[in-house]
Amino acid sequence: MSNKNPHIIIEGAVQYPLGTLKGKCIQYDFDKMLIYLDAKGKLLFGRNFKIHEEDREILFKLCSYFIGDRGVCDKFGIDTNKGLLLTGPVGCGKTSLMRLLRHMVPHKRPYEVIPTRNIVFGFNNIGYTVIEHYGDRRFYCLDDLGVEPTGRHFGKDCNVIGEILLSRYELFIKHKVRTHATSNLNAEELEERYGNRVRSRMRELFNLVAFSAKTKDKRK
């Protein structure tokens, strides 16, 4: 991507303008962003991917967050300095959106999407170095928060993701290192899974953005 045109993303031979450049500021156009996301989604996930009309409102919030539109984010109570906790029913598209939206702002620091169950499997094999690994300053999206198994290494149980969330909280407070997450669970279920101490840290670590509980399973 050319630094002279950060508002234009090139995929193959096609250019996707996401808005217009006014001086050093990009004036984003939401409908143009949706055109790009639909096209990029098909490249990433296959031709059956599509942007659903009923998701426009949540996409508007997410796009505003990713481009750093503080005026819009303030209206929705979203802090652009925090990470995102994207929740909703199974199959509503949380993971796909978190994998997709990072491509819309290639000039910003990327994050890696990691399934929580994979992290726990790693812990079961090699132990506490896995928790230390996620205490670094890279940006992550912890995918499927709360449904991972309890970690077990050399006969000792460990709430691996709970420990990682505490580490990520410290990184956020000290160094503004951002963490994102997706989950099928609601706030009460997450507190039951991780305990009140971790849940209170999560409130400071994340903006909660939720799909409607009635959102249909897009995989069917």
Side-chain angles (χ1 to χ4, degrees), residues 7-216:
H7 62 301
I8 297 174
I9 299 181
I10 299 170
E11 295 287 348
V14 184
Q15 291 190 6
Y16 294 94
L18 304 185
T20 54
L21 197 60
K22 299 286 178 74
K24 292 185 178 180
C25 296
I26 302 172
Q27 288 192 342
Y28 284 94
D29 181 314
F30 180 54
D31 287 318
K32 288 180 179 177
M33 287 192 280
L34 291 184
I35 290 168
Y36 169 71
L37 291 173
D38 188 66
K40 183 64 174 179
K42 285 176 169 60
L43 288 173
L44 289 174
F45 310 119
R47 62 184 182 181
N48 290 330
F49 177 87
K50 71 173 186 174
I51 299 293
H52 293 262
E53 182 64 29
E54 64 266 28
D55 294 341
R56 275 183 72 97
E57 184 179 339
I58 198 164
L59 273 166
F60 184 61
K61 291 180 185 178
L62 292 170
C63 286
S64 299
Y65 170 83
F66 275 95
I67 64 175
D69 188 329
R70 292 189 177 174
V72 172
C73 286
D74 286 348
K75 289 179 183 176
F76 289 116
I78 295 172
D79 183 341
T80 55
N81 294 310
K82 292 183 181 183
L84 285 175
L85 172 57
L86 184 58
T87 68
V90 172
C92 68
K94 302 179 294 296
T95 303
S96 296
L97 286 181
M98 290 306 289
R99 290 186 184 278
L100 175 59
L101 283 159
R102 59 186 172 176
H103 294 283
M104 195 176 65
V105 283
H107 55 292
K108 294 194 176 185
R109 188 172 173 183
Y111 55 86
E112 191 178 350
V113 181
I114 309 283
T116 53
R117 59 185 289 119
N118 291 7
I119 297 173
V120 174
F121 291 153
F123 173 86
N124 293 348
N125 286 321
I126 61 175
Y128 287 87
T129 53
V130 168
I131 294 175
E132 291 169 16
H133 172 79
Y134 290 98
D136 65 9
R137 296 194 190 185
R138 286 181 289 179
F139 286 12
Y140 295 105
C141 175
L142 304 174
D143 189 35
D144 250 355
L145 199 67
V147 296
E148 74 281 350
T150 299
R152 191 169 180 80
H153 185 66
F154 281 117
K156 289 187 177 180
D157 285 353
C158 177
N159 191 332
V160 177
I161 302 302
E163 292 298 323
I164 288 173
L165 286 168
L166 291 174
S167 297
R168 301 300 295 180
Y169 169 78
E170 293 298 327
L171 284 166
F172 173 67
I173 295 299
K174 292 177 181 176
H175 306 292
K176 298 303 176 190
V177 174
R178 210 172 290 176
T179 305
H180 304 302
T182 71
S183 183
N184 302 329
L185 306 183
N186 60 33
E188 291 75 23
E189 291 167 327
L190 286 168
E191 183 168 332
E192 189 176 321
R193 180 72 175 82
Y194 296 116
N196 185 53
R197 178 167 169 249
V198 174
R199 173 64 186 141
S200 68
R201 302 292 190 277
M202 288 173 68
R203 288 191 188 98
E204 294 186 60
L205 197 57
F206 298 122
N207 294 288
L208 178 61
V209 178
F211 278 88
S212 164
K214 298 176 181 176
T215 305
K216 64 184 180 183

